Amino acid sequence: MQSNRVPPTHATGATFAWGNPSDDFALFRTLSAEQRVIAFAAMTRRDLVRGQLLVEQGGASDALFLVLHGALAVYRTDQPEPIAELRAGELVGEVGFFANIPRTANVIAIRDTSVMVLTRAAYAKLAQDAPAIVEAVLAALARRFATETARLLPARASPKARTVALVTGGHRPVPPEFEQRLRNSLAAAGAEIVDLARLEAMFPGRALDTSEVADWLNRIEYDAPLVVYVGGEGASDWSRKAIRQADLVVFACRGDAPAPVLTEIESFACGVHPASARRLVRVHDRRRSEVSGTAAWLARLPCFMHHHVALEDMIDIDSLVRFLCGRAVGFVAGGGGSLGTAHVGVYKAFRERGVMFDIFVGTSVGSAMAAGFAKNYDAEHLERGTHEIFVSSRSFRRPTWPRYALLDHKAFDAALADQYGHDCRIEDCWRPFAAVATNLSTHSLELIRTGLLWQAVRASSAIPGLLPPFYTRDGVMLVDGCLVDNVPLGPMHQMKSGPNLVVHFGEPATEMFDVDYAALPGRFELLASLLMPFRRKALPAAPSAVNVLWRSLVAHQRYDTLPTTPLDMVMRPPTPDGIDVTDFDRHQEIFQSSYHWARETIAGLEAAHDPAIAAIVASARGVETGAVTGASDGADQASAVNTAVFGEPLLP
């Protein structure tokens, strides 16, 4: 096993040798080898024995510490148990150091430990002599904070931005037509666009930090619903100003593979904005059937959300603008077994009306359909895929020895991989997508937004008992999302503002079962019937195990308490008579029925001037001048109506 120990200095002020695991410390990851040596030379080493106090609560925050090896425990005086443990590569005392406040906790060595000490005086000298190193250190520190925060808090978008900085990401310029088209679409949406040329025309010869410039920018931000600062390329004073001025930073980059090292302006932006306030836009020349490499971009430049833009038309740019304006149109797809193709029928009806959905979230079979929508599959493609997965492969008709589950999952897995692509990742879908699963390791909702697409669908659809759970590389056990949220409108609200179409099937209809319990066969009778098919007719007509499991899983769901807003439209397609959640071979009938019903429903709601459908259709036509509003603004314009499009209001 390699040691994290750094060789001792040979003299005062000597540098430390590299070539050890400290190369991987997040704090120094953005520094060159030469810069790392300079940074280490500014520090001194301190060795602690087990039980020795490093930091005392209430003491002066006059130094910052980096753990070389060993372990430290963080205690507060009023709490007997440690609140955190710190190990190699982690920082100690950074909050008090940079905020210049007294220490907030005690830090004690829980085994022999070595730390590097950076005093305030040494930091000040480093900032004076090598400001580039300090900037890189702060950027790395910001990324560490963002990572730690993401581990502790559920991922959610920042509040709707009033100011956006648009900067070039990566090491290659984006095509100029992207910026021009984006400017035009934003201007049509009523956004104020500020670039360096406009600023210099207004204030010739004035520095960017003058009070006149600041007052003018503040006035624009006060008057306009959205201000977009176009920072341009490179790490200019203006691009830095734009980033500091913005609530949200958008990195526009070429669709090619990323370079491993962050650009100067990317590092600066990451030091200013956490990942929740960063967006990545990959610009492609054409809308190819398959995209790749987005995961590498996000590993290099973590962002809360990313978008793909093809320059062959305005579809993707209009979608991006709706996101920036807080008017993105979402599609929420609930679970429901064989009824899932109803999502496809509804989707087709809205697409024929001209609606372009910008983001998709689904649970169980809803995740399977929403994943296809995110890949730009048309309705007919999804219909064929449904037939291959559930009918041709007989994936839900392959019983196995019930050690891990009732069904053999291999055929189901293979069919999913064939339909969505064995190597296709969620990050490479043309529209943002998330699948909802139940995390049985933490007993919580799991919102899957990264990784292989077919695996996300598989995890979200793993009906407990029927199919084996899906196990991640981190050891997490995932099953069907319907256990925690069969209609994931809440997660959609966390990711974006704007109207949503919510499609679900409600609770199973009240049904009495004419079954003689005493006549249910035991295992030997059942085995005999399986071995002698002519005897199957003698079996009682009782509900299948799938039907029972599904009813059990959704028994606790409350569909009359969905967290709807006036901009959310809820649709419940009627189920054709006699169709059960296991009747996958009748998917075509379900699809056609929901399609014709949705067409009639859309026309009727538009004729009635329903505010929810008006918001969806208006957003899909593109955001018109003056239409840049937040969700709350839309709520003021629309009446508080939650439409359950099956005859009566969803909520009183």
Side-chain angles (χ1 to χ4, degrees):
M1 180 180 296
Q2 275 189 310
S3 172
N4 286 330
R5 190 176 299 275
V6 173
T9 57
H10 298 290
T12 303
T15 59
F16 289 91
W18 286 88
N20 54 67
S22 59
D23 290 6
D24 297 326
F25 288 176
L27 181 64
F28 302 107
R29 196 164 292 154
T30 62
L31 301 180
S32 67
E34 182 180 357
Q35 289 173 327
R36 294 173 183 173
V37 172
I38 296 173
F40 256 55
M43 304 179 187
T44 58
R45 177 168 174 158
R46 183 185 301 179
D47 296 318
L48 304 169
V49 297
R50 183 185 180 101
Q52 187 172 352
L53 188 69
L54 174 66
V55 165
E56 184 175 6
Q57 184 172 336
S61 298
D62 52 1
L64 175 70
F65 308 94
L66 171 68
V67 183
L68 291 179
H69 66 87
L72 300 163
V74 183
Y75 289 86
R76 291 204 174 101
T77 54
D78 58 344
Q79 297 179 8
E81 298 296 324
I83 59 176
E85 286 190 9
L86 304 171
R87 299 183 180 272
E90 298 190 277
L91 288 170
V92 184
E94 68 276 11
V95 174
F97 182 83
F98 287 106
N100 199 19
I101 59 176
R103 301 296 191 188
T104 59
N106 300 306
V107 181
I108 302 171
I110 55 177
R111 73 167 124 32
D112 291 351
T113 301
S114 294
V115 300
M116 297 300 295
V117 185
L118 180 65
T119 64
R120 191 171 299 280
Y123 180 83
K125 189 176 187 305
L126 192 63
Q128 182 179 355
D129 297 340
I133 295 178
V134 173
E135 184 174 298
V137 169
L138 290 175
L141 185 62
R143 287 193 296 275
R144 174 181 176 272
F145 282 155
T147 301
E148 292 299 314
T149 302
R151 285 167 49 187
L152 298 174
L153 300 174
R156 58 183 302 146
S158 57
K160 178 185 175 297
R162 292 290 301 274
T163 57
V164 176
L166 177 65
V167 298
T168 299
H171 294 264
R172 293 184 59 195
V174 297
E177 56 262 38
F178 166 75
E179 182 180 317
Q180 189 56 54
R181 292 183 185 181
L182 184 60
R183 282 172 174 257
N184 294 339
S185 189
L186 286 167
E192 262 310 334
I193 299 175
V194 181
D195 56 16
L196 183 58
R198 182 179 178 184
L199 205 64
E200 290 178 338
M202 289 287 299
F203 305 96
R206 302 288 182 88
L208 295 176
D209 56 355
T210 60
S211 58
E212 294 93 339
V213 173
D215 290 343
W216 182 68
L217 293 178
N218 290 334
R219 187 164 56 252
I220 289 179
E221 293 177 8
Y222 181 82
D223 294 333
L226 178 68
V227 180
V228 179
Y229 296 105
V230 181
E233 299 178 13
S236 64
D237 290 341
W238 164 241
S239 61
R240 295 172 185 269
K241 173 74 171 178
I243 291 169
R244 291 194 303 269
Q245 200 77 12
D247 301 322
L248 181 76
V249 60
V250 177
F251 301 96
C253 64
R254 291 286 302 186
D256 308 322
V261 181
L262 291 178
T263 66
E264 185 178 352
I265 196 62
E266 289 172 335
S267 295
F268 178 80
C270 291
V272 175
H273 295 281
S276 60
R278 303 198 297 258
R279 304 291 186 270
L280 176 70
V281 178
R282 294 188 68 193
V283 182
H284 311 270
D285 294 326
R286 298 191 175 277
R287 189 174 297 103
R288 305 184 300 273
S289 58
E290 296 291 338
V291 177
S292 63
T294 309
W297 272 101
L298 294 174
R300 172 183 179 272
L301 185 60
C303 296
F304 178 81
M305 190 170 290
H306 65 278
H307 308 271
H308 294 280
V309 170
L311 294 178
E312 63 184 54
D313 52 42
M314 288 293 295
I315 293 175
D316 303 321
I317 289 178
D318 288 342
S319 178
L320 175 61
V321 169
R322 287 194 290 273
F323 270 102
L324 297 180
C325 296
R327 301 291 298 172
V329 185
F331 190 113
V332 179
S338 66
L339 305 180
T341 51
H343 292 304
V344 184
V346 174
Y347 177 78
K348 181 180 180 180
F350 273 92
R351 291 291 295 115
E352 289 181 352
R353 178 60 184 83
V355 174
M356 177 61 73
F357 295 98
D358 303 308
I359 181 172
F360 301 91
V361 178
T363 296
S364 194
V365 73
S367 72
M369 304 306 163
F373 302 154
K375 289 200 68 175
N376 280 345
Y377 288 164
D378 58 27
E380 287 67 28
H381 185 117
L382 282 169
E383 263 294 279
R384 292 193 301 271
T386 300
H387 190 85
E388 290 295 324
I389 294 171
F390 295 104
V391 181
S392 298
S393 73
R394 298 179 56 83
S395 56
F396 273 53
R397 288 183 169 83
R398 295 176 180 268
T400 186
W401 186 257
R403 173 63 174 85
Y404 305 106
L406 296 176
L407 297 180
D408 183 354
H409 64 288
K410 295 293 188 179
F412 186 48
D413 291 2
L416 289 176
D418 288 341
Q419 291 302 313
Y420 297 106
H422 291 254
D423 301 318
C424 178
R425 297 184 63 89
I426 295 174
E427 301 95 317
D428 294 325
C429 292
W430 277 100
R431 292 289 178 267
F433 164 77
V436 172
T438 301
N439 188 326
L440 290 186
S441 297
T442 62
H443 311 289
S444 61
L445 181 148
E446 187 82 10
L447 193 65
I448 307 174
R449 300 178 59 201
T450 61
L452 293 178
L453 184 61
W454 77 264
Q455 290 184 351
V457 174
R458 169 66 173 82
S460 181
S461 308
I463 301 175
L466 195 68
L467 292 168
F470 184 85
Y471 298 93
T472 71
R473 292 183 177 179
D474 298 329
V476 172
M477 179 168 62
L478 302 177
V479 298
D480 200 304
C482 71
L483 271 73
V484 290
D485 196 349
N486 200 40
V487 187
L489 178 58
M492 179 68 85
H493 284 164
Q494 291 182 0
M495 289 191 289
K496 62 90 182 175
S497 299
N500 298 295
L501 174 63
V502 184
V503 182
H504 74 95
F505 312 106
E507 66 279 353
T510 301
E511 186 177 356
M512 300 295 108
F513 300 93
D514 186 15
V515 177
D516 182 2
Y517 176 76
L520 291 176
R523 57 177 179 172
F524 294 113
E525 294 175 85
L526 189 58
L527 179 61
S529 70
L530 294 174
L531 296 176
M532 296 178 284
F534 62 88
R535 294 191 55 184
R536 290 181 185 177
K537 294 183 179 180
L539 293 176
S544 67
V546 179
N547 186 301
V548 175
L549 283 170
W550 183 67
R551 286 176 170 270
S552 302
L553 295 175
V554 301
H556 70 289
Q557 298 283 339
R558 291 287 305 276
Y559 298 96
D560 59 345
T561 58
L562 289 174
T564 54
T565 72
L567 296 182
D568 298 322
M569 189 178 76
V570 180
M571 299 185 75
R572 284 180 53 181
T575 304
D577 292 339
I579 289 185
D580 185 70
V581 294
T582 61
D583 293 332
F584 291 101
D585 55 341
R586 299 179 67 179
H587 62 88
Q588 183 68 27
E589 183 180 351
I590 297 170
F591 163 70
Q592 291 292 346
S593 172
S594 64
Y595 166 65
H596 293 295
W597 172 84
R599 288 187 60 182
E600 295 175 0
T601 302
I602 293 169
L605 290 171
E606 287 195 281
H609 305 288
D610 180 86
I613 196 161
I616 293 175
V617 174
S619 296
R621 286 198 301 261
V623 185
E624 301 173 356
T625 301
V628 183
T629 60
S632 59
D633 299 324
D636 294 336
Q637 300 170 10
S639 62
V641 176
N642 298 298
T643 309
V645 191
F646 57 95
E648 53 185 318
L650 185 65
L651 296 175

